[in-house]
Amino acid sequence: MARRVLFLACALALFACSSSVAFAKIVEHSFHVQNLTVHRLCHQRVINAVNGGLPGPLIRVHEGDTLIVHVFNKSPYNLTIHWHGIFQLLSGWADGPEYATQCPIRPEHSYTYRFNVTGQEGTLWWHAHVQWLRATVHGALIIHPRKGHSYPFPKPYGEIPILLGEWWNANVIDVENQALATGNAPNISDAFTINGQPGDLYPCSSNDTYKLEVVYGKTYLLRIINAALNNQLFFKIANHKMTVVAVDATYTSPMVTDVVLVTPGQTTDILITANQPPASYYMAAHPYASAAGVPFDNTTTSGIIVYQNSKPSKPLMPALPAFNDTPTAFKFNSNLKGLVNGPHWAPVPLEIDEHMFVTVGLGLVACGLKNATCAGPLGQRFGASMNNASFQFPTKLSMLQAFHGNIGGVYTTDFPDNPPLVFNYTDPNNSFNTSIVMTTKSTKVKKVKYDSTVQIVFQNTAFVGLENHPIHLHGFNFHVLAQGFGNYDAVNAPKKFNLVNPQVRNTIGVPVGGWAVIRFTANNPGVWMLHCHLDAHLPWGLATAIVVENGHTPSTTLPPPPPDQPHC
């Protein structure tokens, strides 16, 4: 009898395993990146886009699938594609950031990305990871539950990606290059967009407004993605409550709210029920501008929710928070909780192997022009840094190639675990203090052992004013244990850590004039960027990389690169 039971158990286990494999499939796309002429805000402009659309193609996969994307670069610029939030388990060659995990795809060349989508589901996205091309080269990446599995909430009537973007009437590469040449801040954008459209609050845009038709009484899942380059955004829908059910492709304990805040790089899934009198209602977004006295695009993008069979009416407009409403921003971010025992939930690791305290913020680098001054503050160039190390990408070889081939001279492993100087980090009186505001360029990374647990305290600084910084970690999710204002208190703050049900993210907005604590397990060998997701700040150096050593088995060792990897 015991043998029969054992045989049955083994048969069931084998069936479950084979069924899981059988449900997984290969999803294949081709991306043709090329010039596209569009009309926006009374202007005709040539942009770079994928397959002739803005946003680019929507990718849908199921957890467990293999995704293959053939990228043909027909644009005039170097190109890579980053699959934002995908773990890339043992497939770091496909992560995308140029000179970090690959050399760029040159114009008139192509490259095929291939990776498995394992252990995660929800809303992610893809975007260019070269210069400012992601302003128009981006799209949604939706991971549905594995076949036979379901959401941890009632199935919605419809699912709609809502991509929030940023628009310049000028060529975005020219805008970036001008800023880098002068050392000053880049010109601010001219508009924001919802699914590529600015909305009818802008000039010449009455026909360029995204519209969503809904059926009274039905519930919809809106997958909100902030694809903007340089702005965090408040998002509201007139007269409708929203229930947050996931962030960054991880499920949350349901949280009812009337406003959502998304930083560049983040995603937020919300449920809304069409339970208001049938009519038209604006969805709208505008910036959360945390840096006092700094110019920003203070316009508002809008889309329209239209109830099916309703009479034509002027849409109702939601009352968005003030641009500098930090209390509302902090309340939203700090109230999110993880869904314990939900799909793919992982408890917080309690033993810490690597402690890091990382200051983040803007600073200055020397002008570098003999007998001349730059257009940045104090006649210098804007720079940015982590622990006063301003990151500079290599240009001859990718860091991942150097890691795999044990090649020296590409990066150094001396990124400091702590800042070189302890001071009152958030004191505004330290702004432009010439004794601490200057930084220098280097390619320093942090090296950790495979499967080690890393805890990082991110501390905002006032070198060049205080500002909320969205920090993105490639290759991993992390638990957000706590966040607050002022200088991090190493004695009292840990007493308030949420070790039970913290939110899990891949991008965290470090509060303006404050700090945030994250923790993750480095169980994926390779080179993984850790950087600010404001595109104005990445070329200035607000970045480093986490190099995770190989484990001791083939299943914990980075395999060789694909044979068609682009050459530098």
Side-chain angles (χ1 to χ4, degrees):
M1 180 66 180
R3 292 178 61 186
R4 287 178 61 190
V5 172
L6 179 61
F7 173 79
L8 181 60
C10 291
L12 289 172
L14 182 61
F15 174 77
C17 182
S18 62
S19 297
S20 176
V21 173
F23 283 137
K25 63 180 181 179
I26 294 176
V27 178
E28 197 162 2
H29 288 262
S30 291
F31 281 10
H32 297 269
V33 187
Q34 56 195 26
N35 288 347
L36 175 70
T37 301
V38 296
H39 296 267
R40 295 287 190 279
L41 276 64
C42 316
H43 292 75
Q44 180 173 293
R45 219 197 92 191
V46 175
I47 65 171
N48 293 280
V50 178
N51 297 355
L54 175 65
L58 166 62
I59 294 179
R60 292 187 183 273
V61 297
H62 287 85
E63 194 270 324
D65 287 349
T66 296
L67 181 60
I68 299 174
V69 183
H70 310 284
V71 178
F72 301 90
N73 185 10
K74 301 174 183 179
S75 82
Y77 306 107
N78 288 342
L79 177 74
T80 67
I81 300 293
H82 170 49
W83 315 93
H84 187 110
I86 292 289
F87 292 154
Q88 300 292 2
L89 294 170
L90 298 180
S91 57
W93 303 103
D95 191 45
E98 69 163 343
Y99 297 117
T101 61
Q102 69 169 96
C103 295
I105 308 169
R106 306 293 183 186
E108 301 303 323
H109 288 72
S110 64
Y111 177 57
T112 295
Y113 292 90
R114 181 188 182 109
F115 52 89
N116 295 327
V117 181
T118 306
Q120 52 190 150
E121 58 189 65
T123 305
L124 295 175
W125 63 302
W126 56 265
H127 60 81
H129 212 289
V130 174
Q131 296 186 277
W132 280 23
L133 286 180
R134 78 173 170 95
T136 54
V137 179
H138 63 252
L141 199 171
I142 310 302
I143 308 170
H144 295 284
R146 189 180 292 260
K147 293 289 179 120
H149 295 238
S150 61
Y151 298 130
F153 47 80
K155 185 177 180 179
Y157 181 76
E159 301 181 19
I160 303 96
I162 302 292
L163 285 95
L164 307 177
E166 199 167 4
W167 180 264
W168 279 260
N169 287 328
N171 182 307
V172 291
I173 300 300
D174 293 342
V175 173
E176 180 189 16
N177 287 341
Q178 180 187 27
L180 292 176
T182 63
N184 206 349
N187 292 334
I188 62 175
S189 54
D190 295 290
F192 298 101
T193 58
I194 294 179
N195 287 347
Q197 301 293 350
D200 58 13
L201 302 182
Y202 292 100
C204 304
S205 301
S206 59
N207 295 323
D208 297 328
T209 303
Y210 172 73
K211 294 182 179 180
L212 170 63
E213 184 178 82
V214 298
V215 177
Y216 181 83
K218 300 297 185 180
T219 297
Y220 295 82
L221 177 64
L222 302 189
R223 299 177 178 274
I224 304 169
I225 300 166
N226 187 347
L229 265 63
N230 295 316
N231 282 277
Q232 301 176 76
L233 296 167
F234 286 121
F235 175 88
K236 289 188 75 170
I237 302 173
N239 285 21
H240 288 73
K241 291 288 187 181
M242 300 175 281
T243 301
V244 178
V245 292
V247 294
D248 292 0
T250 63
Y251 293 111
T252 62
S253 178
M255 185 181 82
V256 178
T257 180
D258 68 346
V259 63
V260 165
L261 176 70
V262 276
T263 73
Q266 288 183 339
T267 71
T268 303
D269 291 357
I270 63 166
L271 295 174
I272 66 161
T273 299
N275 56 7
Q276 296 301 300
S280 296
Y281 300 85
Y282 274 121
M283 62 175 82
H286 78 194
Y288 162 50
S290 61
V294 175
F296 67 96
D297 180 351
N298 63 357
T299 62
T300 300
T301 182
S302 61
I304 302 175
I305 292 179
V306 181
Y307 277 68
Q308 190 179 81
N309 299 324
S310 63
K311 295 180 179 179
S313 61
K314 183 177 180 180
L316 295 176
M317 175 61 73
L320 287 159
F323 296 113
N324 62 350
D325 191 345
T326 291
T328 293
F330 184 78
K331 178 182 177 182
F332 177 84
N333 282 331
S334 59
N335 282 351
L336 291 165
K337 302 291 185 293
L339 185 64
V340 176
N341 298 324
H344 311 294
W345 169 259
V348 180
L350 300 180
E351 299 295 327
I352 305 170
D353 301 300
E354 298 279 353
H355 288 266
M356 299 177 68
F357 183 93
V358 178
T359 53
V360 297
L362 298 184
L364 302 175
V365 294
C367 180
L369 300 176
K370 188 175 181 180
N371 299 324
T373 58
C374 291
L378 307 182
Q380 308 297 334
R381 293 178 176 274
F382 268 117
S385 66
M386 291 184 170
N387 281 350
N388 207 41
S390 187
F391 192 80
Q392 181 170 274
F393 282 94
T395 57
K396 303 298 184 182
L397 193 71
S398 77
M399 293 188 291
L400 190 59
Q401 288 173 310
F403 166 79
H404 182 265
N406 196 27
I407 300 170
V410 177
Y411 60 80
T412 61
T413 57
D414 57 343
F415 180 83
D417 288 341
N418 296 281
L421 179 68
V422 176
F423 61 98
N424 187 349
Y425 305 110
T426 57
D427 183 357
N429 292 323
N430 279 322
S431 292
F432 299 110
N433 182 336
T434 54
S435 66
I436 59 176
V437 74
M438 301 302 295
T439 182
T440 56
K441 294 291 185 180
S442 60
T443 311
K444 296 180 179 181
V445 306
K446 170 66 178 179
K447 190 175 183 180
V448 301
K449 293 187 179 300
Y450 176 83
D451 216 30
S452 60
T453 297
V454 182
Q455 178 171 295
I456 305 178
V457 177
F458 293 113
Q459 175 67 61
N460 191 207
T461 59
F463 290 134
V464 183
L466 296 166
E467 183 178 9
N468 184 302
H469 292 282
I471 305 297
H472 172 47
L473 174 61
H474 291 222
F476 303 94
N477 282 342
F478 49 76
H479 293 92
V480 181
L481 304 186
Q483 44 196 316
F485 295 103
N487 295 317
Y488 176 74
D489 184 341
V491 174
N492 293 307
K495 299 174 184 177
K496 299 179 182 179
F497 282 5
N498 182 354
L499 302 176
V500 178
N501 63 343
Q503 60 181 291
V504 178
R505 309 207 71 129
N506 62 56
T507 305
I508 176 69
V510 180
V512 55
W515 50 269
V517 183
I518 70 168
R519 191 180 296 179
F520 67 97
T521 300
N523 56 4
N524 193 9
V527 177
W528 308 104
M529 291 303 301
L530 176 69
H531 66 90
C532 182
H533 218 269
L534 299 178
D535 268 32
H537 294 178
L538 180 55
W540 286 344
L542 192 50
T544 184
I546 306 290
V547 175
V548 181
E549 296 178 349
N550 286 311
H552 300 294
T553 65
S555 64
T556 59
T557 300
L558 180 73
D564 61 340
Q565 267 263 316
H567 296 288
C568 291

